Amino acid sequence: MTDLLTTAAERAAGGPPVPTFSVLSGHQVQQALTGRERELVALVEDTYRLHGAGDSVNPPSYFLRFPDRPNSRIIALPASIGGSVHVDGLKWISSFPDNVRSGLPRASAVLILNDPETGYPFACLESSIISATRTAASAALAADWLSRGRGARPARIGFFGTGLIARYIHTFLAGTGWEFDAIGVHDVSADSAEGFRGYLRQSGAGGQVTVHERAEDLVRGSDLVVFATVAGKPHVTDPAWFDHNPLVLHVSLRDLAPEVLLGAANFVDDVEHCLKADTSPHLVEQLTGDRDFLNGTLNDVLQGRAAPPTDRPVIFSPFGLGVLDLAVGKYVYDEVSRAGSLRLIDDFFHDLRRYG
């Protein structure tokens, strides 16, 4: 990554190499990612394979919580990824659900990329878009692989929760060739549900769109169910809602009661990460005392070591890995760099001489 340092001629002129530092705005991030759903899903798949092969470091996420704001948190996700990406870094993402009341998105984030040769940070990127992108790309990848061998692809999709993540997941499904005869929508906020229906109409989504007042009707009427809520504890408790054996993308991780998971086949992105912080799979482990309810990871499915059954619901519960943020963030950085649009911060690093 020598392009992140001063040139050889500049170094020869005297003084230590000076690392560069760039700031990439949300507009630049979105420009680099828009319309590239297939490419990004492939990138996320490659990253899962690298992670599964051990060419990554992905320690536990750290949760900063606040006694006076119990429903809010900020999460640090440090990680390192090898392969052609070859970058270290950290995502720092906040979740403040009360933001929605004032019209702000719930989540905000930045991503720091570090040079693996020197350790110096070389870029700071607006990362709420990167986070939503990697989440949606992971969901689209899981929907593809976990629906294989289960007959026809799901033709009826239901969105339980209608915020930014739901919008990105729909965009990535549509952008990777999914078509639906019917789209169900449910949200505790009627305004949010109607807003999502408006987005679907503007996006040109095919199929009839139905806003369901009852959560049960949404689940029972969908072959593919997307949970994208801000729920802090399980609120869907009846396994009978899933008797038709749908594929469930349990992206928000805490919607489903242990009884629902125990009646299903369960896949996660990373076992150690997902069975923490009172996620639904973690609650099952606490209830049963073991992990026998897990059928494997998404990488196990990619490698052919596990397969989704046809006689039970299939639930994918992804905790969200920092290596995915790094892969997508480095992709954005490289695209902006190739376009010659990096905004370098002159003299960001100072006093680089050891003895002055």
Side-chain angles (χ1 to χ4, degrees):
M1 304 183 73
T2 54
D3 59 315
L4 304 179
L5 304 175
T6 50
T7 66
E10 290 171 317
R11 293 197 298 273
V18 179
T20 64
F21 188 80
S22 303
V23 174
L24 284 75
S25 69
H27 177 68
Q28 289 178 298
V29 171
Q30 191 166 53
Q31 278 191 319
L33 297 176
T34 298
R36 301 185 180 182
E37 290 84 9
R38 292 184 185 274
E39 191 174 348
L40 290 164
V41 170
L43 173 64
V44 165
E45 178 175 342
D46 290 343
T47 305
Y48 274 128
R49 293 181 185 273
L50 280 173
H51 180 65
D55 196 4
S56 67
V57 181
N58 206 110
S61 303
Y62 180 82
F63 287 71
L64 175 61
R65 299 186 184 277
F66 313 98
D68 60 328
R69 293 159 282 163
N71 67 334
S72 300
R73 63 184 186 270
I74 308 179
I75 312 172
L77 288 81
S80 174
I81 185 72
S84 60
V85 180
H86 194 46
V87 72
D88 310 329
L90 171 77
K91 180 172 77 169
W92 181 239
I93 182 166
S94 67
S95 175
F96 280 53
D98 289 347
N99 284 351
V100 176
R101 297 177 186 171
S102 60
L104 280 175
R106 169 188 60 86
S108 59
V110 294
L111 177 69
I112 301 294
L113 300 180
N114 292 76
D115 182 349
E117 295 180 11
T118 67
Y120 271 79
F122 63 87
C124 176
L125 299 85
E126 196 287 330
S127 198
S128 65
I129 297 169
I130 289 172
S131 186
T133 293
R134 65 86 151 144
T135 299
S138 169
L141 179 70
D144 178 18
W145 281 86
L146 293 175
S147 62
R148 298 183 184 187
R150 282 171 54 87
R153 264 190 170 187
R156 303 176 301 165
I157 188 171
F159 288 93
F160 199 131
T162 57
L164 180 139
I165 296 299
R167 172 162 59 87
Y168 268 73
I169 290 174
H170 175 265
T171 297
F172 268 77
L173 289 171
T176 51
W178 286 76
E179 297 180 353
F180 300 102
D181 298 330
I183 302 177
V185 176
H186 173 77
D187 198 289
V188 294
S189 166
D191 289 343
S192 294
E194 285 299 328
F196 190 69
R197 177 157 67 174
Y199 150 74
L200 292 171
R201 187 181 302 115
Q202 290 178 349
S203 72
Q208 181 177 351
V209 179
T210 303
V211 175
H212 295 278
E213 292 186 6
R214 298 199 321 153
E216 179 179 357
D217 294 337
L218 174 91
V219 174
R220 289 188 181 274
S222 304
D223 308 310
L224 174 60
V225 186
V226 179
F227 283 92
T229 75
V230 294
K233 59 183 180 180
H235 54 96
V236 176
T237 60
D238 190 350
W241 291 12
F242 302 85
D243 282 347
H244 57 302
N245 300 331
L247 171 59
V248 179
L249 302 178
H250 187 207
V251 176
S252 37
L253 279 176
R254 295 174 178 83
D255 302 274
L256 304 179
E259 293 77 12
V260 175
L261 272 68
L262 287 170
N266 292 279
F267 296 88
V268 297
D269 54 357
D270 183 282
V271 174
E272 295 302 326
H273 283 77
C274 198
L275 272 66
K276 284 184 173 69
D278 289 334
T279 64
S280 294
H282 188 205
L283 296 180
V284 176
E285 182 187 35
Q286 294 176 59
L287 178 67
T288 64
D290 59 50
R291 299 177 174 182
D292 294 344
F293 68 97
L294 291 177
N295 293 67
T297 66
L298 181 56
N299 186 59
D300 289 331
V301 177
L302 298 178
Q303 300 291 346
R305 294 191 295 261
T310 60
D311 60 347
R312 281 175 290 163
V314 173
I315 300 175
F316 177 56
S317 300
F319 193 84
L321 301 178
V323 290
L324 300 181
D325 296 281
L326 289 186
V328 175
K330 184 57 165 47
Y331 174 93
V332 170
Y333 178 88
D334 290 342
E335 289 296 310
V336 175
S337 179
R338 274 192 286 269
S341 301
L342 286 178
R343 298 174 181 174
L344 295 177
I345 307 301
D346 293 332
D347 301 324
F348 183 82
F349 298 105
H350 184 65
D351 201 3
L352 294 171
R353 295 176 182 272
R354 186 173 182 184
Y355 298 111

